[in-house]
C-alpha cells in the first residue's frame, strides 16, 4: 500500500491493559496502510500499560502517548478525538486487535464510494470460539434502525469516520458504557451522511470479562438507561412512536435480566406498546409484566433457567 495517502488517525484508550496491549499495538503498527497517527490515551493505568505504550512510541514515531488522571473510557476517547489530525478517524480498544488490512480496506471503501463512514465486518472471539459478523448494504436509516435494535454493533472500532463529522461532537464523560452508541448516534443524525459497507474482516473483538462492555455493573445498567433515553430523543422525529417504544422496552428487559432493579419507573410511556410489539419475544413480555405486577418469582426462574442453559453450553 502506498504510504502517501491521506492521514488516518487511530485512537486507543488504555486502562490497565498490560495483558493485551502489546498485541493490540503490534496489530496497529503492522497495518498495510502506513500513513497513520496512533493516539494512545493512558487513562491513569496502575499496571505496566504506560511503559508498553512508551516503548511503541520510541520504536514508531506514528505513535503518540497522552497520559491523564483516570477519568473513564469516554473521557479518554474524547481526549484523543480533540488532538487527532487525520482526515479520518477510528477507535481501537486496547484489549482487541485490528486485522492487518483493516485501514486499507476501510479507506478504499470511503474513497471508492465517496462515503463519510466505512463499516467493516469483524470477528467476535470468546472461549466458545470465533464468530464472523457481517453487514448487508443498506441505506442510512435502515443502518440506524439496525444499530438501535442491536442487530449491528454500535462499536466505533470497525467504523472509519470522516473526522470533520466529529469535530462538534463530544463524548459524554459521565457515561462509560454504551458511550460509543451515543456518540455514533449523534454522528449518524447529521444530514447527508453516506455509509459504505464492506464484508472484509477488519477487527478482532475479544470478549474479555473485565472490559467495560462485558462488565454489567450497576453503573453500566444506569448508563444503558441514560443512553437509551438520549438516543431515542435524538431519533424520535425520524422513527415512529411504536419503534421508539420498542427500543425502550428492549432496554427494560435488559435491566430486569442483568440487575436487581425494577423497570416500573423506567420509560413508563412505552409500556402501552408492549403487548402489540411483535419483535419482543413473549418470554420477555412476561418478564416485564411480572415486574409490573410485583411478581419477582417468574423473573428469578427465568434467570435461573438461562444460567443453567449457559453452563451446559460451556
Amino acid at each position: 500500500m502506498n504510504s502517501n495517502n491521506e492521514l488516518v488517525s487511530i485512537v486507543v484508550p488504555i486502562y490497565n491493559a498490560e495483558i493485551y496491549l502489546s498485541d493490540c499495538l503490534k496489530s496497529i503498527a503492522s497495518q498495510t496502510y502506513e500513513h497513520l497517527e496512533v493516539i494512545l490515551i493512558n487513562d491513569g493505568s496502575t499496571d505496566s500499560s504506560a511503559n508498553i505504550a512508551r516503548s511503541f512510541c520510541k520504536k514508531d514515531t506514528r505513535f503518540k502517548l497522552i497520559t491523564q488522571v483516570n477519568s473513564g473510557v469516554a473521557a479518554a476517547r474524547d481526549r484523543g478525538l480533540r488532538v487527532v489530525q487525520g482526515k479520518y478517524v477510528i477507535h481501537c480498544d486496547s484489549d482487541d486487535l485490528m486485522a492487518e488490512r483493516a485501514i486499507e480496506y476501510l479507506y478504499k471503501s470511503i474513497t471508492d464510494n465517496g462515503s463519510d463512514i466505512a463499516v467493516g465486518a469483524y470477528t467476535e472471539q470468546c472461549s466458545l470460539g470465533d464468530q464472523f459478523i457481517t453487514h448487508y448494504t443498506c441505506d442510512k436509516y435502515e443502518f440506524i434502525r439496525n444499530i438501535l435494535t442491536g442487530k449491528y454493533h454500535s462499536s466505533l472500532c470497525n467504523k472509519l469516520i470522516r473526522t470533520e463529522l466529529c469535530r462538534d461532537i463530544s463524548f459524554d464523560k459521565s457515561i462509560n458504557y454504551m458511550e460509543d452508541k451515543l456518540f455514533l448516534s449523534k454522528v449518524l443524525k447529521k444530514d447527508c451522511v453516506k455509509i459504505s459497507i464492506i464484508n472484509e474482516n477488519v477487527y478482532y473483538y475479544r470478549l474479555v470479562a473485565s472490559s467495560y462492555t462485558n462488565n454489567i455493573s450497576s453503573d453500566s445498567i444506569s448508563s444503558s438507561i441514560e443512553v437509551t433515553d438520549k438516543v431515542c430523543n435524538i431519533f424520535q422525529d425520524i422513527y415512529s412512536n411504536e419503534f421508539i417504544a420498542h427500543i425502550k422496552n428492549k432496554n427494560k428487559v435488559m435491566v430486569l435480566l442483568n440487575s436487581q432493579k425494577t423497570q416500573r419507573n423506567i420509560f413508563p410511556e412505552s409500556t402501552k406498546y408492549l403487548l402489540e410489539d411483535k419483535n419482543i419475544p413473549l418470554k420477555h413480555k412476561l418478564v416485564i409484566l411480572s415486574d409490573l405486577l410485583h411478581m419477582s418469582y417468574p423473573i428469578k426462574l427465568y434467570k435461573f433457567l438461562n444460567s443453567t442453559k449457559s453452563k451446559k453450553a460451556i
Side-chain angles (χ1 to χ4, degrees), residues 202-220:
V202 301
Y203 199 74
Y204 294 94
Y205 183 69
R206 288 171 165 171
L207 299 180
V208 178
S210 60
S211 71
Y212 271 112
T213 303
N214 295 296
N215 184 19
I216 310 295
S217 65
S218 177
D219 286 344
S220 297

Side-chain angles (χ1 to χ4, degrees), residues 9-25:
S9 300
I10 303 175
V11 176
V12 186
I14 302 168
Y15 178 71
N16 288 353
E18 62 181 3
I19 298 174
Y20 309 98
L21 184 59
S22 183
D23 287 342
C24 171
L25 300 186

Side-chain angles (χ1 to χ4, degrees), residues 106-151:
L106 292 167
Y107 177 79
K108 185 176 187 301
S109 178
I110 280 182
T111 54
D112 285 355
N113 295 285
S115 57
D116 304 292
I117 303 172
V119 182
Y122 60 94
T123 301
E124 284 189 350
Q125 297 183 318
C126 70
S127 59
L128 298 178
D130 293 356
Q131 183 177 6
F132 184 56
I133 311 294
T134 60
H135 312 77
Y136 57 85
T137 303
C138 58
D139 67 21
K140 169 183 166 179
Y141 296 104
E142 185 178 2
F143 183 85
I144 294 171
R145 285 181 68 94
N146 289 337
I147 289 288
L148 296 183
T149 59
K151 187 172 184 178

Side-chain angles (χ1 to χ4, degrees), residues 71-79 171-176 179 212:
S71 306
V73 66
R77 291 193 195 282
D78 200 68
R79 180 81 178 271
F171 284 88
D172 189 325
K173 298 178 181 64
S174 67
I175 295 174
N176 290 303
E179 82 289 341
Y212 271 112

Side-chain angles (χ1 to χ4, degrees), residues 59-301:
K59 292 183 292 185
D60 191 331
T61 57
R62 298 176 300 172
F63 286 72
K64 303 174 179 67
L65 176 62
I66 297 173
T67 297
Q68 64 181 28
V69 175
N70 179 245
S71 306
V73 66
R77 291 193 195 282
D78 200 68
R79 180 81 178 271
L81 195 59
R82 295 309 125 211
V83 301
V84 298
Q85 298 181 41
K87 184 170 182 179
Y88 303 99
V89 62
I90 192 170
H91 294 248
C92 180
D93 290 345
S94 57
D95 51 4
D96 294 335
L97 302 169
M98 296 191 86
E100 186 178 39
R101 299 179 69 181
I103 304 301
E104 175 189 345
Y105 285 141
L106 292 167
Y107 177 79
K108 185 176 187 301
S109 178
I110 280 182
T111 54
D112 285 355
N113 295 285
S115 57
D116 304 292
I117 303 172
V119 182
Y122 60 94
T123 301
E124 284 189 350
Q125 297 183 318
C126 70
S127 59
L128 298 178
D130 293 356
Q131 183 177 6
F132 184 56
I133 311 294
T134 60
H135 312 77
Y136 57 85
T137 303
C138 58
D139 67 21
K140 169 183 166 179
Y141 296 104
E142 185 178 2
F143 183 85
I144 294 171
R145 285 181 68 94
N146 289 337
I147 289 288
L148 296 183
T149 59
K151 187 172 184 178
Y152 290 172
H153 203 303
S154 57
S155 169
L156 299 170
C157 299
N158 69 322
K159 300 172 182 69
L160 186 63
I161 302 174
R162 185 159 55 86
T163 306
E164 184 182 335
L165 288 175
C166 307
R167 289 302 187 195
D168 61 343
I169 301 174
S170 297
F171 284 88
D172 189 325
K173 298 178 181 64
S174 67
I175 295 174
N176 290 303
Y177 179 72
M178 293 172 61
E179 82 289 341
D180 45 3
K181 185 173 188 174
L182 179 56
F183 184 89
L184 181 63
S185 295
K186 293 175 182 177
V187 172
L188 291 172
K189 181 63 186 295
K190 293 192 172 189
D191 293 335
C192 302
V193 171
K194 183 178 179 181
I195 300 167
S196 56
I197 305 287
I198 61 172
N199 280 323
E200 285 86 5
N201 184 63
V202 301
Y203 199 74
Y204 294 94
Y205 183 69
R206 288 171 165 171
L207 299 180
V208 178
S210 60
S211 71
Y212 271 112
T213 303
N214 295 296
N215 184 19
I216 310 295
S217 65
S218 177
D219 286 344
S220 297
I221 293 293
S222 297
S223 288
S224 79
I225 297 168
E226 186 174 355
V227 168
T228 299
D229 187 38
K230 290 184 176 183
V231 166
C232 285
N233 286 337
I234 289 172
F235 295 115
Q236 65 181 355
D237 62 333
I238 296 176
Y239 298 104
S240 68
N241 291 337
E242 289 80 4
F243 178 73
I244 294 298
H246 169 72
I247 302 305
K248 291 179 176 180
N249 283 327
K250 277 175 64 72
N251 182 251
K252 290 183 179 188
V253 174
M254 193 278 282
V255 170
L256 286 171
L257 297 184
N258 291 280
S259 74
Q260 301 304 313
K261 289 178 179 287
T262 177
Q263 56 73 55
R264 290 188 287 275
N265 296 319
I266 301 171
F267 310 130
E269 71 280 2
S270 68
T271 305
K272 65 182 179 180
Y273 296 96
L274 178 64
L275 294 179
E276 296 180 2
D277 190 337
K278 296 179 181 178
N279 293 310
I280 291 185
L282 177 60
K283 60 186 178 181
H284 290 163
K285 292 179 181 179
L286 293 175
V287 165
I288 292 178
L289 292 173
S290 295
D291 183 59
L292 289 172
L293 296 171
H294 297 261
M295 297 168 59
S296 61
Y297 179 74
I299 301 172
K300 291 178 180 178
L301 179 61

